Amino acid sequence: MRYAAQKGTRDILPSEIHNWQIAEKVFADVCHSFGYEEIRIPTFEQTDLFQRGVGDTTDVVTKEMYTFEDKGGRSITLRPEGTAGVVRSFIENGMTSLPSPVRMFYNITAFRYEKMQKGRMREFHQFGLESFGAAGPDIDAEIISVVDVFFKKMGLKNIALHINSIGCPNCRGEYNRLLKDYFRPHVSEMCEDCQARFEKNPLRMIDCKVDGGKDLVKNAPRLIDHLCDDCRAHFEGLKTRLEAIGISYTIDPNIVRGLDYYTRTVFEFVSENVGTQGTICGGGRYDGLVEDCGGAATPGIGFAMGVERLLLETEAQNALKEKPSYVKIYIASMSEAAKIEALKICYSLRLAGIGCETDMAGRSFKAQMKYAGKQGIPFLAVIGDDELANGEVKVKNMADGSETTVKLDGIGDFLAGK
Ligand code: HAM
């Protein structure tokens, strides 16, 4: 029997993991610099949380969730995204009483039963953040800045920011009526999903994967032209702030986002390098979600970025980083006694935080040298009878061939800071 990774999942191999670790570290550092703290939420939640939070007219909820009954008869769902879980945790852990904004970031796996494409997986990773309690456009500009600073620190350029406002329940009611009047004569020509959306949530029709490209949908009335005064002022406020900071943007009235909780600001960072799945990062405001999930009315805003897509973009822009050499020195040994000494030296080097290796595979001296060379280990020391007798060893710098004689117990001091 040969097993294979499940469709839509993949291994992240040791040969590529450093790019992930670098991105994770840069993301955490940038979030910390804005005052965000990490939260870790469970991989699964009760199904109802996503139905209520993400919305039961979305593709994510109706078609893509990994839902199952556990042995206790509960309906469980593997998280298709992080926001609903973070909101649940925010309410459950009484964070409403903390000084606002309550800022949290996360690095999670998420699960969606989707058709496989470049940049579209069934198990994928998201870096994201959520911020609770701030209602004005300052925080909208702040979280967009987080993404902008993160991309800059990753060495990425030219990822276009698209923004839009999809209003609040106030302006949405009037707009929904308009949209229904517009679509009514054509509903029967639209896909089955849109026919259901027409009654329940007409805004979703704009985002339809089947009908979305048709002129009928493209020419539909746009929410941004029907915002109430408060929503318009909020959107203008965001634009002013982005301009002041120097973050360029395009207004894209077609962004409605694939999840139901959004209000007012929505945004996406889009690239041409990630195939048809060009959205690397998406987010927006969700001022009604905390209340919808049973908490006290609290405004919220956040984003999530697909890490697979981020790394595709990093590769396309030649911004991948070199693998760091965790192992700094190889201690080769020419006899059994030398090998015991090498083991001792390695132990003390590791205690001092210096990565090192010695033979574990019973290799001949020649084979040890070949192995160290192949691994690209930057320093080499060879221990034989003379070194044991003198208590000294030559440490060779493999890059320039230079050699330095040091005491056997002085290798750590010699390598420190190199
Ligand atoms: P989303 O747009 O559904 O938003 O996903 C965010 C990002 O996750 C996408 O832009 C994309 O890069 C990545 N992504 C989504 N689905 C897949 C997939 N099947 N394979 C690979 N990558 C994928 C959310 O998830 C919201 N929770 C974002 C948010 C946070 N809004 C407010 N707070």
Side-chain angles (χ1 to χ4, degrees), residues 311-350:
L311 291 175
L312 281 172
E313 180 66 20
T314 312
E315 194 179 349
Q317 293 202 22
N318 277 326
L320 287 179
K321 304 283 184 287
E322 286 237 330
K323 186 177 172 185
S325 48
Y326 299 112
V327 173
K328 209 168 245 182
I329 185 165
Y330 188 85
I331 316 261
S333 52
M334 300 182 77
S335 66
E336 182 62 17
K339 181 181 196 148
I340 303 287
E341 183 62 26
L343 284 175
K344 267 173 55 190
I345 294 173
C346 281
Y347 179 79
S348 61
L349 286 177
R350 288 164 185 151

Side-chain angles (χ1 to χ4, degrees), residues 111-153:
F111 306 85
R112 296 183 193 177
Y113 191 81
E114 292 205 82
K115 259 209 187 104
M116 283 284 298
Q117 279 179 21
K118 185 179 177 189
R120 193 194 271 175
M121 309 281 297
R122 291 185 176 169
E123 180 188 29
F124 58 99
H125 296 74
Q126 285 186 337
F127 295 161
L129 62 74
E130 313 295 345
S131 176
F132 299 93
D138 293 331
I139 198 87
D140 305 34
E142 175 178 280
I143 74 161
I144 289 173
S145 316
V146 172
V147 186
D148 181 83
V149 171
F150 172 71
F151 285 157
K152 289 201 167 96
K153 300 263 177 204

Side-chain angles (χ1 to χ4, degrees), residues 262-274:
Y262 292 108
T263 51
R264 294 193 167 167
T265 307
V266 285
F267 64 89
E268 292 182 346
F269 282 87
V270 185
S271 151
E272 284 174 4
N273 292 317
V274 193

Side-chain angles (χ1 to χ4, degrees), residues 60 64 80-84 106 111-112 114-115 119-126 128-130 143 257-259 261-262 268-269 277 279-286 301-310:
V60 169
E64 296 168 3
E81 55 105 56
T83 311
Y106 50 86
F111 306 85
R112 296 183 193 177
E114 292 205 82
K115 259 209 187 104
R120 193 194 271 175
M121 309 281 297
R122 291 185 176 169
E123 180 188 29
F124 58 99
H125 296 74
Q126 285 186 337
L129 62 74
E130 313 295 345
I143 74 161
R257 311 273 305 127
L259 314 162
Y261 44 64
Y262 292 108
E268 292 182 346
F269 282 87
Q277 305 305 312
T279 309
I280 296 179
C281 175
R285 188 166 268 288
Y286 46 82
I301 185 166
F303 68 75
M305 163 176 343
V307 186
E308 283 79 4
R309 293 185 196 179
L310 168 81

Side-chain angles (χ1 to χ4, degrees), residues 7 37 54 86 102 119 123 148 156 164 196 217 220 238 244 258-260 301 305 317 334 344 354-355 360 364 367:
K7 202 169 167 184
E37 300 264 19
V54 173
V86 175
V102 176
E123 180 188 29
D148 181 83
L156 295 171
N164 189 24
V217 174
L238 170 61
L259 314 162
D260 273 353
I301 185 166
M305 163 176 343
Q317 293 202 22
M334 300 182 77
K344 267 173 55 190
I354 296 171
M360 292 286 124
S364 67

